[in-house]
Amino acid sequence: QVQLVESGGGLVQPGGSLRLSCAASGTISRLYVMSWYRQAPGKQRELVASITSGGITNYADSVKGRFTISRDNVKSTVYLQMDSLKPEDTAVYYCNAAIGFRNYWGQGTQVAVSS
């Protein structure tokens, strides 16, 4: 069983920064692929960034160069550093842990980018 809790969301001005955290409880393996997804109202959930156990990262084109995903296996936490935020980044951000066909989701944290 894996439980994920996101934090760090909030309201920020365009061009600002936020760091999201996802803390895991229960059993979590370093082999899990950790990802951040986001979903804006009326839109489909999309993959923002992911990181493998080997440290390989992938980013959506819309956030590449602005967002950075990282993980701390000792603290069982994954982070998403978001810089140069744009209004279109406004969404609920969800943490995901996946291994094989198993997927675990956090409750989401709201990010609003507005002046």
Side-chain angles (χ1 to χ4, degrees), residues 2-110:
V2 175
Q3 293 178 303
L4 307 173
V5 180
E6 301 98 332
S7 62
L11 176 64
V12 64
Q13 305 95 324
S17 298
L18 284 174
R19 189 182 76 160
L20 305 183
S21 298
C22 173
S25 63
T27 302
I28 183 169
S29 172
R30 63 183 298 275
L31 297 180
Y32 275 77
V33 175
M34 304 299 298
S35 302
W36 286 96
Y37 288 75
R38 68 185 181 187
Q39 185 169 28
K43 299 182 179 179
Q44 294 186 8
R45 187 172 300 184
E46 65 172 340
L47 176 65
V48 176
S50 65
I51 183 168
T52 70
S53 60
I56 300 175
T57 59
N58 288 283
Y59 299 93
D61 288 340
S62 59
V63 307
K64 204 167 189 176
R66 300 188 297 119
F67 291 10
T68 303
I69 188 172
S70 61
R71 64 192 296 169
D72 186 332
N73 291 321
V74 175
K75 296 181 179 179
S76 297
T77 302
V78 62
Y79 305 95
L80 185 67
Q81 177 66 44
M82 305 185 295
D83 299 319
S84 301
L85 283 162
K86 304 175 180 180
E88 49 263 46
D89 294 319
T90 297
V92 176
Y93 284 70
Y94 298 91
C95 181
N96 172 270
I99 183 169
F101 297 104
R102 301 174 67 87
N103 279 271
Y104 303 92
W105 294 91
Q107 82 291 343
T109 184
Q110 175 69 244

